[in-house]
Amino acid sequence: LSQVLFEEEVRLLGNYHLSADIVTLIKPWAAFLTLNYPSQSGQILDYKLLEIARENGAELKGLESVQEQVDIFDNLALEKQTKLLSDTVCHYAFVEGDFDLMKSMYLNRDISGLYAYAQRYSQSEDELYNELIKKLSIDRNYTMAERMQPQLGNGGAFIAISAMHLVGDEG
């Protein structure tokens, strides 16, 4: 990254309680992902559901591993990771606006609106964003659908996935 872009990345990630020393160590994709969540978001719903399940003695099975999730980004070429980070840092005001809009749609149970909003990049002529959407959504949908079949076959399953995986032709 250029010095100016790096300094802005450090400033923005400071809102997430990451020091400049830490920012120099994390991969571009990790900074990109961090910046794509609100800095003051509170407890993540996934963790809350996990906490409730554990408190109630539920049998827990993952539909994908943390490593599989990490690999989506870690296997991107460094220049692609850097582009994602640069785009996010340069347009962070828009990213922040996305948080509020998407939260509003979620709270209003406007899942189709969320999906349509998320798809705004799928029409992009930028191959990187199309590749990322395919890996983050479509490919994972097929993997998770296949892996949930045994639990569904046994009955009595509660399966928690992101609302974005529920909609669309391949949702």
Side-chain angles (χ1 to χ4, degrees):
L1 298 177
S2 70
Q3 186 63 32
V4 170
L5 195 57
F6 176 72
E7 288 171 5
E8 182 63 5
E9 175 193 7
V10 169
R11 187 187 72 76
L12 292 171
L13 287 171
N15 295 325
Y16 297 81
H17 309 290
L18 297 175
S19 69
D21 291 339
I22 297 298
V23 173
T24 62
L25 298 175
I26 62 176
K27 293 184 178 183
W29 67 260
F32 160 76
L33 281 182
T34 301
L35 291 170
N36 275 277
Y37 284 92
S39 61
Q40 306 299 324
S41 61
Q43 186 175 26
I44 297 172
L45 179 59
D46 299 26
Y47 293 128
K48 183 63 178 173
L49 292 172
L50 181 63
E51 182 181 290
I52 292 168
R54 284 184 174 147
E55 288 171 359
N56 288 285
E59 180 182 354
L60 301 171
K61 295 189 184 261
L63 296 176
E64 57 187 352
S65 69
V66 171
Q67 189 60 55
E68 288 172 311
Q69 292 175 356
V70 166
D71 285 349
I72 292 170
F73 292 97
D74 209 34
N75 290 336
L76 285 174
L78 185 59
E79 61 270 6
K80 290 181 178 183
Q81 294 180 38
T82 303
K83 179 178 177 12
L84 291 170
L85 176 58
S86 297
D87 288 353
T88 302
V89 169
C90 290
H91 303 288
Y92 191 71
F94 293 109
V95 173
E96 284 184 306
D98 283 353
F99 301 149
D100 294 334
L101 180 58
M102 292 176 72
K103 180 179 177 181
S104 173
M105 285 189 239
Y106 181 83
L107 292 174
N108 288 314
R109 299 180 177 183
D110 183 5
I111 303 303
S112 59
L114 266 172
Y115 178 74
Y117 190 70
Q119 294 305 303
R120 68 196 182 283
Y121 296 115
S122 69
Q123 303 303 318
S124 170
E125 293 183 19
D126 190 321
E127 186 179 314
L128 172 58
Y129 286 95
N130 289 324
E131 173 187 353
L132 192 57
I133 287 169
K134 181 181 180 304
K135 288 180 179 183
L136 286 174
S137 185
I138 297 168
D139 293 352
R140 291 174 65 215
N141 286 349
Y142 283 102
T143 299
M144 290 187 286
E146 179 182 316
R147 290 179 182 172
M148 71 176 66
Q149 294 309 307
Q151 284 73 36
L152 293 172
N154 292 336
F158 173 82
I159 298 175
I161 59 173
S162 167
M164 298 307 295
H165 292 287
L166 300 175
V167 294
D169 293 339
E170 296 180 276

